[in-house]
Amino acid sequence: MSELLTALDAVLQERKQADPSASYVAKLYAQGTDTILKKLGEEAAELIIAAKNGSPQEIIHETADVWFHSLVLLSSLGLSSQD
């Protein structure tokens, strides 16, 4: 799992230089920390609803979204999954 997270960290770093019109992550970075936090909050709320609904597939999907956006936030703040 650590290798996967390290690879994802590298991709997230690369996206800092990408064109925001061509990359979802680059767009989030360009819009700033408040936008990233808002998106993470939305995803967390969706996870809560999924858990309340009890659908395993929905829970897995929303958990992945929360994890991903958490990594985007870390990267935007100069941190990584290894920190």
Side-chain angles (χ1 to χ4, degrees):
M1 182 67 133
S2 179
E3 290 175 15
L4 175 64
L5 289 173
T6 299
L8 184 52
D9 287 335
V11 171
L12 292 173
Q13 281 297 100
E14 290 173 10
R15 293 300 189 267
K16 288 181 177 180
Q17 309 307 317
D19 178 357
S21 67
S23 165
Y24 171 71
V25 174
K27 182 178 177 182
L28 287 174
Y29 289 147
Q31 292 176 339
T33 304
D34 284 350
T35 296
I36 296 168
L37 292 169
K38 180 179 176 186
K39 186 63 179 174
L40 181 56
E42 291 170 3
E43 297 301 343
E46 290 172 7
L47 174 56
I48 292 166
I49 293 166
K52 186 151 176 73
N53 291 340
S55 166
Q57 284 304 112
E58 192 179 349
I59 293 166
I60 291 166
H61 176 84
E62 298 304 339
T63 297
D65 283 347
V66 168
W67 286 354
F68 176 76
H69 287 89
S70 295
L71 291 170
V72 171
L73 175 64
L74 286 174
S75 179
S76 74
L77 298 173
L79 301 168
S80 76
S81 64
Q82 304 308 302
D83 294 319

